[in-house]
Amino acid sequence: MSLTLEIITPDEKVLTTEADQVILPTESGEVGILTGHIPMVTQVVAGELKVLKDGKADYIAVDHGFAKVLGNTISVLTEAAVDVEDIDLGEVESAQARALDALKLAEAEGADPAEVERLETTVRYLIAQKLAKGRRR
């Protein structure tokens, strides 16, 4: 028996796959999910989601969101997700520099706290992508 993992963003269903184990990045640290796991809802933080199947590991960089475990199905609802293999470090570093500049400007101008939080979240997701890609080289 295996797990079914689905990753959904506001724009699309990014992934539906079978797995032996899924490791989620949560506020409490990494949480490993195996078949027969108790029902659970948890907050996901920007980081690396690990999918283990047949002795192989695949990695997905995810933004903040939520995960629900019910039966042998894991549903991850996140703002963004990208397969680590598809990450272009040059693009990520450029986007991070732009986001950091925008964040500094927003803080200096006393921008709306919600806008500052959105920019901080963007920076965290970009950092998570860089870290995940760096580990897979």
Side-chain angles (χ1 to χ4, degrees):
M1 183 181 284
S2 64
L3 297 166
T4 299
L5 169 66
E6 57 183 10
I7 300 175
I8 303 164
T9 68
D11 298 325
E12 64 182 328
K13 185 180 275 191
V14 175
L15 176 72
T16 301
T17 190
E18 299 296 311
D20 298 325
Q21 182 179 10
V22 175
I23 300 173
L24 303 169
T26 73
E27 285 192 323
S28 304
E30 291 185 335
V31 174
I33 310 295
L34 297 166
T35 56
H37 197 283
I38 62 169
M40 174 180 82
V41 174
T42 187
Q43 191 166 1
V44 172
V45 296
E48 180 180 78
L49 184 147
K50 187 174 184 180
V51 181
L52 299 164
K53 181 170 176 133
D54 300 327
K56 283 183 40 191
D58 290 317
Y59 300 89
I60 309 292
V62 296
D63 200 352
H64 69 284
F66 294 91
K68 176 180 82 171
V69 179
L70 188 59
N72 287 322
T73 300
I74 304 166
S75 300
V76 178
L77 308 171
T78 180
E79 287 296 316
V82 62
D83 188 311
V84 170
E85 298 298 319
D86 297 333
I87 294 172
D88 179 328
L89 277 178
E91 286 182 25
V92 170
E93 288 173 353
S94 175
Q96 182 182 359
R98 289 190 310 272
L100 285 169
D101 289 343
L103 178 59
K104 287 176 188 171
L105 182 62
E107 290 173 337
E109 293 179 348
D112 177 35
E115 177 64 15
V116 172
E117 175 60 29
R118 185 189 67 76
L119 290 167
E120 289 172 343
T121 298
T122 299
V123 170
R124 283 192 298 271
Y125 178 55
L126 292 165
I127 291 170
Q129 288 182 57
K130 285 175 53 177
L131 291 172
K133 183 69 172 186
R135 281 195 267 265
R136 305 301 150 230
R137 286 185 159 183

